[in-house]
Amino acid sequence: MMNDDTGRKRQKYVLYGIDYLGQGKSWPTNCDDGNSSDESNLGYSADMWLDQLTGFIEEVIVPTASSSNKVHLVGNSVGGYLSTILACRHPHLVSSLALMNATPVWGLNLPGWDGRLPAPDQDGGEEKFDTIRNLDVIDKYLEAAYVHREAYDGSFADGIHGYSGDEKGEGGGLPAKIRGCTEGKGGHAAFASILWSPP
């Protein structure tokens, strides 16, 4: 607890942002779109990410928590989907749950594939992946999600990385950061795994 400027007691929170394996900047070693030995039989799945999230809470957050063994989960997109399942399976770990644009389903269950890498290239999966990571397409998604463009394009001081667009002072704002997370050698495999994996 700490005092704010008015003398009221405020609780101090520690925030964690989770980067699931195959998402953001967390990729297997020697990633090669599902074809390297480090990716052999790896399957990006909700269960794998739930195990990661549960392990992080139990092994990192709970042992260092000063007042509670429960966390407040805030989940966006797939994070909302995973947070909901985690709260149901492990209610002893969750104090509250806030969902933002939670994904309602997981995977399209491609017949004959168990979700393990390498992923099959079905119906132009690589082209679909390139389409959804196109900066114009990302911009359209963000335009639909945000009320004010300035909140994500880097032109507003309190937006994503302020006036500069990103932490390096280069332009692009949030669309460029989202695209940047897909430019490793594992993006297509992760996309295919999520899109076509068993639910």
Side-chain angles (χ1 to χ4, degrees):
M1 295 287 244
M2 55 193 267
N3 291 328
D4 64 14
D5 293 339
T6 66
R8 294 179 298 188
K9 296 279 185 189
R10 289 189 324 168
Q11 193 166 3
K12 182 178 177 183
Y13 292 95
V14 177
L15 301 176
Y16 295 92
I18 306 298
D19 216 9
Y20 306 107
L21 183 64
Q23 299 291 298
K25 295 184 179 180
S26 296
W27 297 94
T29 308
N30 302 318
C31 203
D32 187 24
D33 256 342
N35 297 306
S36 76
S37 59
D38 291 328
E39 299 168 286
S40 180
N41 289 318
L42 172 66
Y44 297 114
S45 68
D47 284 335
M48 179 189 71
W49 288 342
L50 280 165
D51 288 345
Q52 280 185 272
L53 185 56
T54 304
F56 186 79
I57 292 169
E58 291 176 336
E59 297 170 25
V60 176
I61 298 174
V62 169
T64 61
S66 59
S67 62
S68 173
N69 289 335
K70 291 187 170 193
V71 298
H72 300 281
L73 290 176
V74 178
N76 180 48
S77 189
V78 172
Y81 175 81
L82 297 172
S83 294
T84 302
I85 296 171
L86 188 140
C88 288
R89 290 185 185 172
H90 303 285
H92 64 284
L93 294 175
V94 180
S95 180
S96 67
L97 175 63
L99 302 177
M100 301 180 302
N101 192 30
T103 302
V105 295
W106 180 271
L108 300 177
N109 202 15
L110 182 69
W113 185 49
D114 67 358
R116 297 185 189 278
L117 297 179
D121 186 19
Q122 295 289 318
D123 298 326
E126 214 164 311
E127 292 82 19
K128 288 176 185 167
F129 175 64
D130 286 337
T131 298
I132 68 158
R133 65 193 203 107
N134 176 288
L135 285 173
D136 292 332
V137 172
I138 293 169
D139 189 69
K140 289 292 182 195
Y141 282 130
L142 293 172
E143 187 177 286
Y146 284 84
V147 174
H148 299 287
R149 179 176 196 77
E150 299 82 12
Y152 69 85
D153 71 0
S155 65
F156 183 63
D158 288 338
I160 304 295
H161 299 297
Y163 291 112
S164 65
D166 65 25
E167 67 271 13
K168 296 177 185 171
E170 299 169 1
L174 187 56
K177 287 189 75 61
I178 291 171
R179 166 72 186 223
C181 293
T182 70
E183 292 178 347
K185 290 193 77 178
H188 174 250
F191 173 72
S193 183
I194 291 166
L195 183 63
W196 292 314
S197 68

